[in-house]
Amino acid sequence: MKINRFKFFGYLKYFFLCAALLIFGAAIIIYPERYVNCCFEGFAMWAECVLPSLFPFMVITLIFVKTGIAEKASLPLKRAVGIFKLPPAAGACFLLSLCSGYPAGSRVLCEFYENGALSASDCKKLAPLCSTSGPLFIIGSVGFKMFGDKFAGVKILVAHVIAVAATSLIASLFTKKSAPKNLKRAPADKNVLYNSFYGAVISVAVAGGFIAFFFVVAKFFSDFSIFYPVEKLLSKVIGKECASAICSGIIEATTGCRALAAAGNGKLSVALAGFLITFGGFSILLQQLGYLTKTGVKPLKFIGFKLIQAGICFGLLMLIA
């Protein structure tokens, strides 16, 4: 009986997914002049705000990982990360994630896992810690370009890093200590430079596809007032413009940040942008989970952790912004 019930819910899930995709596809066919241009805008935003900040660091990150430099560089931090019951590679993974931004940290964990440097349990611990946006995106794209204030970007970055690091390190103290394991190591990569560039190009191109697709989804949701009840409720607390921006940002974070900057609500807009950047929106979350699910990370647990981090970032920014 249980098996039949599980099958029923499985079929129901796919039915709703197929129905939603068919309705979305029909809207694009009926209103091509709106949604085709919208898709182009999504790619333009990716090219302007994400590509310059992500691609060079993604190449550098993959070279560090594939050559083994990252793993060796993390050894001096072995004792420090051991206090928080984390594996020796934790320090290098976090720094590479922080320098590069989404979804590089998740890609690094996946690379270490496939190379045999991390176990599945290690990746589960490190997934929330190595889920950060990069300084070039936060300070340059969000702070300077969107808000017209580089210092606002610095504040968001500080709150973002504190929220991610503090929650992840505290949570790791309540887990079992990562014991040294004799993991099966993958053969050394003999074509590091080509594979690093190839991997970076694919990752960045996929990120562009996610951003453009979810940019269109966000516009579709807005046009058909799908988030109307949520937006109506939020507007009583944070105002109509910010509520609309948050609803768009939950789907695609960069879109939401740009709308928050345009709303011009000062400290509140900056704090809400920090919330969106830390949470990531479904576009960024799904990019990360594309790598993390290979390592055994549970999607719902990861998303819940990101919500907690985002809430803390918002609170910090309301204090310091």
PDB file of all heavy atoms in Angstrom, residues 58 61-67 70-71 93 96 104-118 123 184-186 189 195-196 198-200 203 291-292 294-295:
ATOM      1  N   MET A  58      36.548  31.425 -11.852  1.00  0.00           N
ATOM      2  CA  MET A  58      36.226  30.017 -12.045  1.00  0.00           C
ATOM      3  C   MET A  58      37.404  29.281 -12.674  1.00  0.00           C
ATOM      4  O   MET A  58      37.730  28.151 -12.282  1.00  0.00           O
ATOM      5  CB  MET A  58      34.984  29.881 -12.931  1.00  0.00           C
ATOM      6  CG  MET A  58      34.531  28.445 -13.127  1.00  0.00           C
ATOM      7  SD  MET A  58      33.922  27.658 -11.627  1.00  0.00           S
ATOM      8  CE  MET A  58      32.229  28.234 -11.610  1.00  0.00           C
ATOM      9  N   THR A  61      40.070  28.967  -9.967  1.00  0.00           N
ATOM     10  CA  THR A  61      39.626  27.981  -8.978  1.00  0.00           C
ATOM     11  C   THR A  61      39.862  26.557  -9.464  1.00  0.00           C
ATOM     12  O   THR A  61      40.402  25.712  -8.739  1.00  0.00           O
ATOM     13  CB  THR A  61      38.126  28.185  -8.671  1.00  0.00           C
ATOM     14  OG1 THR A  61      37.955  29.455  -8.053  1.00  0.00           O
ATOM     15  CG2 THR A  61      37.605  27.096  -7.746  1.00  0.00           C
ATOM     16  N   LEU A  62      39.465  26.278 -10.709  1.00  0.00           N
ATOM     17  CA  LEU A  62      39.610  24.925 -11.244  1.00  0.00           C
ATOM     18  C   LEU A  62      41.081  24.538 -11.419  1.00  0.00           C
ATOM     19  O   LEU A  62      41.454  23.384 -11.204  1.00  0.00           O
ATOM     20  CB  LEU A  62      38.858  24.802 -12.569  1.00  0.00           C
ATOM     21  CG  LEU A  62      37.333  24.825 -12.452  1.00  0.00           C
ATOM     22  CD1 LEU A  62      36.683  24.773 -13.831  1.00  0.00           C
ATOM     23  CD2 LEU A  62      36.838  23.656 -11.614  1.00  0.00           C
ATOM     24  N   ILE A  63      41.914  25.507 -11.791  1.00  0.00           N
ATOM     25  CA  ILE A  63      43.358  25.215 -11.903  1.00  0.00           C
ATOM     26  C   ILE A  63      43.921  24.849 -10.535  1.00  0.00           C
ATOM     27  O   ILE A  63      44.668  23.877 -10.398  1.00  0.00           O
ATOM     28  CB  ILE A  63      44.118  26.421 -12.512  1.00  0.00           C
ATOM     29  CG1 ILE A  63      43.752  26.586 -13.989  1.00  0.00           C
ATOM     30  CG2 ILE A  63      45.631  26.231 -12.355  1.00  0.00           C
ATOM     31  CD1 ILE A  63      44.340  27.830 -14.632  1.00  0.00           C
ATOM     32  N   PHE A  64      43.556  25.618  -9.512  1.00  0.00           N
ATOM     33  CA  PHE A  64      44.011  25.313  -8.151  1.00  0.00           C
ATOM     34  C   PHE A  64      43.579  23.914  -7.713  1.00  0.00           C
ATOM     35  O   PHE A  64      44.349  23.165  -7.105  1.00  0.00           O
ATOM     36  CB  PHE A  64      43.462  26.346  -7.162  1.00  0.00           C
ATOM     37  CG  PHE A  64      44.265  27.606  -7.087  1.00  0.00           C
ATOM     38  CD1 PHE A  64      43.637  28.821  -6.853  1.00  0.00           C
ATOM     39  CD2 PHE A  64      45.642  27.601  -7.238  1.00  0.00           C
ATOM     40  CE1 PHE A  64      44.369  30.002  -6.766  1.00  0.00           C
ATOM     41  CE2 PHE A  64      46.384  28.767  -7.163  1.00  0.00           C
ATOM     42  CZ  PHE A  64      45.750  29.975  -6.933  1.00  0.00           C
ATOM     43  N   VAL A  65      42.331  23.558  -8.017  1.00  0.00           N
ATOM     44  CA  VAL A  65      41.807  22.261  -7.576  1.00  0.00           C
ATOM     45  C   VAL A  65      42.444  21.123  -8.355  1.00  0.00           C
ATOM     46  O   VAL A  65      42.892  20.125  -7.774  1.00  0.00           O
ATOM     47  CB  VAL A  65      40.266  22.225  -7.728  1.00  0.00           C
ATOM     48  CG1 VAL A  65      39.727  20.826  -7.442  1.00  0.00           C
ATOM     49  CG2 VAL A  65      39.615  23.225  -6.780  1.00  0.00           C
ATOM     50  N   LYS A  66      42.489  21.242  -9.687  1.00  0.00           N
ATOM     51  CA  LYS A  66      42.959  20.155 -10.528  1.00  0.00           C
ATOM     52  C   LYS A  66      44.460  19.896 -10.403  1.00  0.00           C
ATOM     53  O   LYS A  66      44.921  18.779 -10.620  1.00  0.00           O
ATOM     54  CB  LYS A  66      42.588  20.430 -11.999  1.00  0.00           C
ATOM     55  CG  LYS A  66      41.096  20.335 -12.263  1.00  0.00           C
ATOM     56  CD  LYS A  66      40.761  20.606 -13.718  1.00  0.00           C
ATOM     57  CE  LYS A  66      39.269  20.536 -13.963  1.00  0.00           C
ATOM     58  NZ  LYS A  66      38.701  19.203 -13.706  1.00  0.00           N
ATOM     59  N   THR A  67      45.234  20.931 -10.048  1.00  0.00           N
ATOM     60  CA  THR A  67      46.673  20.742  -9.858  1.00  0.00           C
ATOM     61  C   THR A  67      47.022  20.228  -8.465  1.00  0.00           C
ATOM     62  O   THR A  67      48.157  19.841  -8.206  1.00  0.00           O
ATOM     63  CB  THR A  67      47.435  22.064 -10.088  1.00  0.00           C
ATOM     64  OG1 THR A  67      46.895  23.071  -9.216  1.00  0.00           O
ATOM     65  CG2 THR A  67      47.345  22.513 -11.532  1.00  0.00           C
ATOM     66  N   ALA A  70      45.249  23.613  -4.227  1.00  0.00           N
ATOM     67  CA  ALA A  70      44.251  23.983  -3.217  1.00  0.00           C
ATOM     68  C   ALA A  70      44.296  23.043  -2.023  1.00  0.00           C
ATOM     69  O   ALA A  70      44.241  23.472  -0.865  1.00  0.00           O
ATOM     70  CB  ALA A  70      42.857  23.975  -3.836  1.00  0.00           C
ATOM     71  N   GLU A  71      44.419  21.746  -2.294  1.00  0.00           N
ATOM     72  CA  GLU A  71      44.446  20.765  -1.205  1.00  0.00           C
ATOM     73  C   GLU A  71      45.699  20.925  -0.346  1.00  0.00           C
ATOM     74  O   GLU A  71      45.642  20.863   0.886  1.00  0.00           O
ATOM     75  CB  GLU A  71      44.376  19.350  -1.784  1.00  0.00           C
ATOM     76  CG  GLU A  71      44.140  18.287  -0.725  1.00  0.00           C
ATOM     77  CD  GLU A  71      43.991  16.910  -1.325  1.00  0.00           C
ATOM     78  OE1 GLU A  71      43.955  16.781  -2.559  1.00  0.00           O
ATOM     79  OE2 GLU A  71      43.931  15.946  -0.542  1.00  0.00           O
ATOM     80  N   CYS A  93      38.480  25.288   0.418  1.00  0.00           N
ATOM     81  CA  CYS A  93      37.159  25.290  -0.240  1.00  0.00           C
ATOM     82  C   CYS A  93      36.405  26.580   0.030  1.00  0.00           C
ATOM     83  O   CYS A  93      35.811  27.175  -0.880  1.00  0.00           O
ATOM     84  CB  CYS A  93      36.337  24.092   0.240  1.00  0.00           C
ATOM     85  SG  CYS A  93      36.932  22.491  -0.318  1.00  0.00           S
ATOM     86  N   LEU A  96      38.131  29.621  -1.809  1.00  0.00           N
ATOM     87  CA  LEU A  96      37.877  29.578  -3.249  1.00  0.00           C
ATOM     88  C   LEU A  96      36.434  29.967  -3.556  1.00  0.00           C
ATOM     89  O   LEU A  96      36.157  30.664  -4.526  1.00  0.00           O
ATOM     90  CB  LEU A  96      38.173  28.181  -3.805  1.00  0.00           C
ATOM     91  CG  LEU A  96      39.660  27.785  -3.846  1.00  0.00           C
ATOM     92  CD1 LEU A  96      39.808  26.323  -4.233  1.00  0.00           C
ATOM     93  CD2 LEU A  96      40.423  28.671  -4.828  1.00  0.00           C
ATOM     94  N   ALA A 104      30.633  28.542  -7.736  1.00  0.00           N
ATOM     95  CA  ALA A 104      31.987  27.986  -7.711  1.00  0.00           C
ATOM     96  C   ALA A 104      32.249  27.122  -6.482  1.00  0.00           C
ATOM     97  O   ALA A 104      32.907  26.077  -6.581  1.00  0.00           O
ATOM     98  CB  ALA A 104      33.017  29.112  -7.779  1.00  0.00           C
ATOM     99  N   GLY A 105      31.756  27.548  -5.301  1.00  0.00           N
ATOM    100  CA  GLY A 105      31.993  26.771  -4.088  1.00  0.00           C
ATOM    101  C   GLY A 105      31.439  25.370  -4.183  1.00  0.00           C
ATOM    102  O   GLY A 105      32.096  24.392  -3.798  1.00  0.00           O
ATOM    103  N   SER A 106      30.233  25.255  -4.723  1.00  0.00           N
ATOM    104  CA  SER A 106      29.619  23.934  -4.899  1.00  0.00           C
ATOM    105  C   SER A 106      30.383  23.116  -5.936  1.00  0.00           C
ATOM    106  O   SER A 106      30.533  21.900  -5.796  1.00  0.00           O
ATOM    107  CB  SER A 106      28.158  24.093  -5.336  1.00  0.00           C
ATOM    108  OG  SER A 106      27.436  24.826  -4.374  1.00  0.00           O
ATOM    109  N   ARG A 107      30.870  23.789  -6.969  1.00  0.00           N
ATOM    110  CA  ARG A 107      31.667  23.099  -7.996  1.00  0.00           C
ATOM    111  C   ARG A 107      32.964  22.573  -7.393  1.00  0.00           C
ATOM    112  O   ARG A 107      33.403  21.463  -7.698  1.00  0.00           O
ATOM    113  CB  ARG A 107      31.967  24.065  -9.150  1.00  0.00           C
ATOM    114  CG  ARG A 107      32.877  23.517 -10.253  1.00  0.00           C
ATOM    115  CD  ARG A 107      32.205  22.418 -11.034  1.00  0.00           C
ATOM    116  NE  ARG A 107      33.121  21.748 -11.942  1.00  0.00           N
ATOM    117  CZ  ARG A 107      33.316  22.084 -13.219  1.00  0.00           C
ATOM    118  NH1 ARG A 107      32.649  23.110 -13.727  1.00  0.00           N
ATOM    119  NH2 ARG A 107      34.123  21.407 -13.976  1.00  0.00           N
ATOM    120  N   VAL A 108      33.589  23.363  -6.520  1.00  0.00           N
ATOM    121  CA  VAL A 108      34.825  22.948  -5.855  1.00  0.00           C
ATOM    122  C   VAL A 108      34.582  21.705  -5.006  1.00  0.00           C
ATOM    123  O   VAL A 108      35.361  20.742  -5.046  1.00  0.00           O
ATOM    124  CB  VAL A 108      35.397  24.092  -4.986  1.00  0.00           C
ATOM    125  CG1 VAL A 108      36.489  23.575  -4.061  1.00  0.00           C
ATOM    126  CG2 VAL A 108      35.937  25.202  -5.869  1.00  0.00           C
ATOM    127  N   LEU A 109      33.504  21.709  -4.226  1.00  0.00           N
ATOM    128  CA  LEU A 109      33.183  20.539  -3.398  1.00  0.00           C
ATOM    129  C   LEU A 109      32.986  19.302  -4.262  1.00  0.00           C
ATOM    130  O   LEU A 109      33.446  18.210  -3.914  1.00  0.00           O
ATOM    131  CB  LEU A 109      31.918  20.802  -2.581  1.00  0.00           C
ATOM    132  CG  LEU A 109      32.011  21.806  -1.434  1.00  0.00           C
ATOM    133  CD1 LEU A 109      30.695  21.843  -0.666  1.00  0.00           C
ATOM    134  CD2 LEU A 109      33.149  21.467  -0.488  1.00  0.00           C
ATOM    135  N   CYS A 110      32.297  19.478  -5.378  1.00  0.00           N
ATOM    136  CA  CYS A 110      32.058  18.356  -6.289  1.00  0.00           C
ATOM    137  C   CYS A 110      33.376  17.835  -6.859  1.00  0.00           C
ATOM    138  O   CYS A 110      33.586  16.618  -6.963  1.00  0.00           O
ATOM    139  CB  CYS A 110      31.121  18.801  -7.413  1.00  0.00           C
ATOM    140  SG  CYS A 110      30.564  17.458  -8.471  1.00  0.00           S
ATOM    141  N   GLU A 111      34.278  18.756  -7.209  1.00  0.00           N
ATOM    142  CA  GLU A 111      35.597  18.362  -7.740  1.00  0.00           C
ATOM    143  C   GLU A 111      36.392  17.588  -6.682  1.00  0.00           C
ATOM    144  O   GLU A 111      36.977  16.542  -6.975  1.00  0.00           O
ATOM    145  CB  GLU A 111      36.379  19.608  -8.168  1.00  0.00           C
ATOM    146  CG  GLU A 111      35.877  20.273  -9.427  1.00  0.00           C
ATOM    147  CD  GLU A 111      36.368  19.601 -10.685  1.00  0.00           C
ATOM    148  OE1 GLU A 111      37.367  18.856 -10.618  1.00  0.00           O
ATOM    149  OE2 GLU A 111      35.740  19.804 -11.744  1.00  0.00           O
ATOM    150  N   PHE A 112      36.415  18.102  -5.451  1.00  0.00           N
ATOM    151  CA  PHE A 112      37.127  17.422  -4.370  1.00  0.00           C
ATOM    152  C   PHE A 112      36.516  16.051  -4.087  1.00  0.00           C
ATOM    153  O   PHE A 112      37.230  15.089  -3.805  1.00  0.00           O
ATOM    154  CB  PHE A 112      37.099  18.272  -3.093  1.00  0.00           C
ATOM    155  CG  PHE A 112      38.236  19.242  -2.976  1.00  0.00           C
ATOM    156  CD1 PHE A 112      38.040  20.607  -3.135  1.00  0.00           C
ATOM    157  CD2 PHE A 112      39.519  18.803  -2.701  1.00  0.00           C
ATOM    158  CE1 PHE A 112      39.097  21.500  -3.030  1.00  0.00           C
ATOM    159  CE2 PHE A 112      40.582  19.684  -2.580  1.00  0.00           C
ATOM    160  CZ  PHE A 112      40.368  21.043  -2.761  1.00  0.00           C
ATOM    161  N   TYR A 113      35.199  15.977  -4.148  1.00  0.00           N
ATOM    162  CA  TYR A 113      34.507  14.711  -3.909  1.00  0.00           C
ATOM    163  C   TYR A 113      34.859  13.693  -4.999  1.00  0.00           C
ATOM    164  O   TYR A 113      35.173  12.531  -4.710  1.00  0.00           O
ATOM    165  CB  TYR A 113      32.995  14.955  -3.880  1.00  0.00           C
ATOM    166  CG  TYR A 113      32.164  13.708  -3.736  1.00  0.00           C
ATOM    167  CD1 TYR A 113      32.073  13.041  -2.511  1.00  0.00           C
ATOM    168  CD2 TYR A 113      31.455  13.194  -4.831  1.00  0.00           C
ATOM    169  CE1 TYR A 113      31.295  11.899  -2.374  1.00  0.00           C
ATOM    170  CE2 TYR A 113      30.685  12.053  -4.703  1.00  0.00           C
ATOM    171  CZ  TYR A 113      30.606  11.408  -3.477  1.00  0.00           C
ATOM    172  OH  TYR A 113      29.843  10.264  -3.352  1.00  0.00           O
ATOM    173  N   GLU A 114      34.833  14.131  -6.248  1.00  0.00           N
ATOM    174  CA  GLU A 114      35.138  13.228  -7.365  1.00  0.00           C
ATOM    175  C   GLU A 114      36.616  12.849  -7.394  1.00  0.00           C
ATOM    176  O   GLU A 114      36.968  11.764  -7.867  1.00  0.00           O
ATOM    177  CB  GLU A 114      34.722  13.880  -8.684  1.00  0.00           C
ATOM    178  CG  GLU A 114      33.208  13.991  -8.835  1.00  0.00           C
ATOM    179  CD  GLU A 114      32.783  14.726 -10.092  1.00  0.00           C
ATOM    180  OE1 GLU A 114      33.647  15.382 -10.715  1.00  0.00           O
ATOM    181  OE2 GLU A 114      31.587  14.652 -10.444  1.00  0.00           O
ATOM    182  N   ASN A 115      37.467  13.745  -6.880  1.00  0.00           N
ATOM    183  CA  ASN A 115      38.907  13.446  -6.811  1.00  0.00           C
ATOM    184  C   ASN A 115      39.265  12.559  -5.627  1.00  0.00           C
ATOM    185  O   ASN A 115      40.399  12.093  -5.518  1.00  0.00           O
ATOM    186  CB  ASN A 115      39.722  14.746  -6.722  1.00  0.00           C
ATOM    187  CG  ASN A 115      39.678  15.540  -8.014  1.00  0.00           C
ATOM    188  OD1 ASN A 115      39.322  15.007  -9.055  1.00  0.00           O
ATOM    189  ND2 ASN A 115      40.025  16.807  -7.954  1.00  0.00           N
ATOM    190  N   GLY A 116      38.316  12.384  -4.710  1.00  0.00           N
ATOM    191  CA  GLY A 116      38.567  11.547  -3.540  1.00  0.00           C
ATOM    192  C   GLY A 116      39.157  12.296  -2.362  1.00  0.00           C
ATOM    193  O   GLY A 116      39.606  11.677  -1.395  1.00  0.00           O
ATOM    194  N   ALA A 117      39.158  13.633  -2.413  1.00  0.00           N
ATOM    195  CA  ALA A 117      39.707  14.421  -1.309  1.00  0.00           C
ATOM    196  C   ALA A 117      38.688  14.654  -0.200  1.00  0.00           C
ATOM    197  O   ALA A 117      39.056  14.978   0.927  1.00  0.00           O
ATOM    198  CB  ALA A 117      40.221  15.769  -1.827  1.00  0.00           C
ATOM    199  N   LEU A 118      37.395  14.515  -0.516  1.00  0.00           N
ATOM    200  CA  LEU A 118      36.332  14.690   0.464  1.00  0.00           C
ATOM    201  C   LEU A 118      35.338  13.538   0.371  1.00  0.00           C
ATOM    202  O   LEU A 118      35.076  13.020  -0.720  1.00  0.00           O
ATOM    203  CB  LEU A 118      35.576  16.007   0.225  1.00  0.00           C
ATOM    204  CG  LEU A 118      36.303  17.324   0.485  1.00  0.00           C
ATOM    205  CD1 LEU A 118      35.434  18.491   0.040  1.00  0.00           C
ATOM    206  CD2 LEU A 118      36.677  17.469   1.957  1.00  0.00           C
ATOM    207  N   CYS A 123      31.182  16.717   2.537  1.00  0.00           N
ATOM    208  CA  CYS A 123      30.497  17.647   1.635  1.00  0.00           C
ATOM    209  C   CYS A 123      29.213  18.180   2.252  1.00  0.00           C
ATOM    210  O   CYS A 123      28.862  19.348   2.060  1.00  0.00           O
ATOM    211  CB  CYS A 123      30.199  16.964   0.299  1.00  0.00           C
ATOM    212  SG  CYS A 123      31.668  16.605  -0.679  1.00  0.00           S
ATOM    213  N   LYS A 184      39.467   6.716  -2.152  1.00  0.00           N
ATOM    214  CA  LYS A 184      40.066   6.328  -3.426  1.00  0.00           C
ATOM    215  C   LYS A 184      40.309   7.580  -4.265  1.00  0.00           C
ATOM    216  O   LYS A 184      39.377   8.300  -4.620  1.00  0.00           O
ATOM    217  CB  LYS A 184      39.137   5.370  -4.170  1.00  0.00           C
ATOM    218  CG  LYS A 184      39.750   4.798  -5.444  1.00  0.00           C
ATOM    219  CD  LYS A 184      38.803   3.815  -6.111  1.00  0.00           C
ATOM    220  CE  LYS A 184      39.436   3.277  -7.391  1.00  0.00           C
ATOM    221  NZ  LYS A 184      38.528   2.326  -8.079  1.00  0.00           N
ATOM    222  N   ARG A 185      41.556   7.861  -4.552  1.00  0.00           N
ATOM    223  CA  ARG A 185      41.910   9.063  -5.298  1.00  0.00           C
ATOM    224  C   ARG A 185      41.806   8.833  -6.805  1.00  0.00           C
ATOM    225  O   ARG A 185      42.181   7.786  -7.322  1.00  0.00           O
ATOM    226  CB  ARG A 185      43.343   9.505  -4.964  1.00  0.00           C
ATOM    227  CG  ARG A 185      43.526   9.933  -3.513  1.00  0.00           C
ATOM    228  CD  ARG A 185      42.660  11.145  -3.208  1.00  0.00           C
ATOM    229  NE  ARG A 185      42.816  11.616  -1.861  1.00  0.00           N
ATOM    230  CZ  ARG A 185      43.267  12.814  -1.542  1.00  0.00           C
ATOM    231  NH1 ARG A 185      43.607  13.654  -2.467  1.00  0.00           N
ATOM    232  NH2 ARG A 185      43.360  13.172  -0.286  1.00  0.00           N
ATOM    233  N   ALA A 186      41.301   9.834  -7.502  1.00  0.00           N
ATOM    234  CA  ALA A 186      41.211   9.775  -8.954  1.00  0.00           C
ATOM    235  C   ALA A 186      42.593  10.023  -9.553  1.00  0.00           C
ATOM    236  O   ALA A 186      43.438  10.677  -8.931  1.00  0.00           O
ATOM    237  CB  ALA A 186      40.231  10.824  -9.460  1.00  0.00           C
ATOM    238  N   ASP A 189      45.051  14.749 -13.281  1.00  0.00           N
ATOM    239  CA  ASP A 189      44.621  15.323 -14.558  1.00  0.00           C
ATOM    240  C   ASP A 189      45.861  15.693 -15.367  1.00  0.00           C
ATOM    241  O   ASP A 189      46.710  16.464 -14.920  1.00  0.00           O
ATOM    242  CB  ASP A 189      43.767  16.571 -14.294  1.00  0.00           C
ATOM    243  CG  ASP A 189      43.033  17.048 -15.536  1.00  0.00           C
ATOM    244  OD1 ASP A 189      43.499  16.749 -16.654  1.00  0.00           O
ATOM    245  OD2 ASP A 189      41.999  17.717 -15.396  1.00  0.00           O
ATOM    246  N   ASN A 195      41.263  21.520 -19.464  1.00  0.00           N
ATOM    247  CA  ASN A 195      40.097  21.066 -18.707  1.00  0.00           C
ATOM    248  C   ASN A 195      39.569  22.143 -17.757  1.00  0.00           C
ATOM    249  O   ASN A 195      38.367  22.227 -17.509  1.00  0.00           O
ATOM    250  CB  ASN A 195      40.428  19.795 -17.927  1.00  0.00           C
ATOM    251  CG  ASN A 195      40.554  18.587 -18.833  1.00  0.00           C
ATOM    252  OD1 ASN A 195      39.956  18.550 -19.907  1.00  0.00           O
ATOM    253  ND2 ASN A 195      41.343  17.606 -18.424  1.00  0.00           N
ATOM    254  N   SER A 196      40.487  22.972 -17.245  1.00  0.00           N
ATOM    255  CA  SER A 196      40.060  24.060 -16.366  1.00  0.00           C
ATOM    256  C   SER A 196      39.276  25.105 -17.151  1.00  0.00           C
ATOM    257  O   SER A 196      38.215  25.573 -16.707  1.00  0.00           O
ATOM    258  CB  SER A 196      41.269  24.712 -15.696  1.00  0.00           C
ATOM    259  OG  SER A 196      41.930  23.792 -14.857  1.00  0.00           O
ATOM    260  N   TYR A 198      37.799  24.628 -20.076  1.00  0.00           N
ATOM    261  CA  TYR A 198      36.584  23.984 -20.578  1.00  0.00           C
ATOM    262  C   TYR A 198      35.519  23.926 -19.476  1.00  0.00           C
ATOM    263  O   TYR A 198      34.356  24.277 -19.689  1.00  0.00           O
ATOM    264  CB  TYR A 198      36.911  22.574 -21.076  1.00  0.00           C
ATOM    265  CG  TYR A 198      35.707  21.815 -21.592  1.00  0.00           C
ATOM    266  CD1 TYR A 198      35.230  22.046 -22.884  1.00  0.00           C
ATOM    267  CD2 TYR A 198      35.058  20.886 -20.791  1.00  0.00           C
ATOM    268  CE1 TYR A 198      34.118  21.359 -23.361  1.00  0.00           C
ATOM    269  CE2 TYR A 198      33.948  20.194 -21.258  1.00  0.00           C
ATOM    270  CZ  TYR A 198      33.483  20.429 -22.538  1.00  0.00           C
ATOM    271  OH  TYR A 198      32.385  19.747 -23.001  1.00  0.00           O
ATOM    272  N   GLY A 199      35.936  23.506 -18.286  1.00  0.00           N
ATOM    273  CA  GLY A 199      35.003  23.420 -17.163  1.00  0.00           C
ATOM    274  C   GLY A 199      34.444  24.774 -16.783  1.00  0.00           C
ATOM    275  O   GLY A 199      33.255  24.915 -16.471  1.00  0.00           O
ATOM    276  N   ALA A 200      35.305  25.812 -16.826  1.00  0.00           N
ATOM    277  CA  ALA A 200      34.862  27.166 -16.477  1.00  0.00           C
ATOM    278  C   ALA A 200      33.871  27.694 -17.509  1.00  0.00           C
ATOM    279  O   ALA A 200      32.857  28.301 -17.145  1.00  0.00           O
ATOM    280  CB  ALA A 200      36.067  28.093 -16.372  1.00  0.00           C
ATOM    281  N   SER A 203      30.544  25.883 -17.028  1.00  0.00           N
ATOM    282  CA  SER A 203      29.877  26.317 -15.791  1.00  0.00           C
ATOM    283  C   SER A 203      29.285  27.709 -15.933  1.00  0.00           C
ATOM    284  O   SER A 203      28.148  27.960 -15.512  1.00  0.00           O
ATOM    285  CB  SER A 203      30.870  26.294 -14.625  1.00  0.00           C
ATOM    286  OG  SER A 203      31.301  24.985 -14.351  1.00  0.00           O
ATOM    287  N   TYR A 291      25.447  20.470  -8.584  1.00  0.00           N
ATOM    288  CA  TYR A 291      26.726  19.873  -8.158  1.00  0.00           C
ATOM    289  C   TYR A 291      26.577  19.123  -6.831  1.00  0.00           C
ATOM    290  O   TYR A 291      27.092  18.011  -6.668  1.00  0.00           O
ATOM    291  CB  TYR A 291      27.786  20.966  -7.991  1.00  0.00           C
ATOM    292  CG  TYR A 291      28.119  21.706  -9.260  1.00  0.00           C
ATOM    293  CD1 TYR A 291      27.791  23.058  -9.412  1.00  0.00           C
ATOM    294  CD2 TYR A 291      28.775  21.077 -10.310  1.00  0.00           C
ATOM    295  CE1 TYR A 291      28.096  23.748 -10.575  1.00  0.00           C
ATOM    296  CE2 TYR A 291      29.087  21.757 -11.483  1.00  0.00           C
ATOM    297  CZ  TYR A 291      28.739  23.092 -11.602  1.00  0.00           C
ATOM    298  OH  TYR A 291      29.043  23.764 -12.755  1.00  0.00           O
ATOM    299  N   LEU A 292      25.861  19.721  -5.885  1.00  0.00           N
ATOM    300  CA  LEU A 292      25.826  19.188  -4.525  1.00  0.00           C
ATOM    301  C   LEU A 292      25.077  17.866  -4.400  1.00  0.00           C
ATOM    302  O   LEU A 292      25.423  17.029  -3.562  1.00  0.00           O
ATOM    303  CB  LEU A 292      25.207  20.213  -3.576  1.00  0.00           C
ATOM    304  CG  LEU A 292      26.009  21.501  -3.378  1.00  0.00           C
ATOM    305  CD1 LEU A 292      25.228  22.481  -2.501  1.00  0.00           C
ATOM    306  CD2 LEU A 292      27.366  21.202  -2.746  1.00  0.00           C
ATOM    307  N   LYS A 294      25.204  15.470  -6.308  1.00  0.00           N
ATOM    308  CA  LYS A 294      26.146  14.393  -6.667  1.00  0.00           C
ATOM    309  C   LYS A 294      26.939  13.924  -5.455  1.00  0.00           C
ATOM    310  O   LYS A 294      27.440  12.800  -5.421  1.00  0.00           O
ATOM    311  CB  LYS A 294      27.123  14.876  -7.742  1.00  0.00           C
ATOM    312  CG  LYS A 294      26.483  15.260  -9.056  1.00  0.00           C
ATOM    313  CD  LYS A 294      27.536  15.788 -10.013  1.00  0.00           C
ATOM    314  CE  LYS A 294      26.915  16.313 -11.297  1.00  0.00           C
ATOM    315  NZ  LYS A 294      27.945  16.885 -12.211  1.00  0.00           N
ATOM    316  N   THR A 295      27.047  14.805  -4.458  1.00  0.00           N
ATOM    317  CA  THR A 295      27.824  14.467  -3.255  1.00  0.00           C
ATOM    318  C   THR A 295      26.936  13.972  -2.112  1.00  0.00           C
ATOM    319  O   THR A 295      27.445  13.696  -1.023  1.00  0.00           O
ATOM    320  CB  THR A 295      28.603  15.711  -2.768  1.00  0.00           C
ATOM    321  OG1 THR A 295      27.675  16.679  -2.258  1.00  0.00           O
ATOM    322  CG2 THR A 295      29.420  16.329  -3.891  1.00  0.00           C
TER     323      THR A 295
END
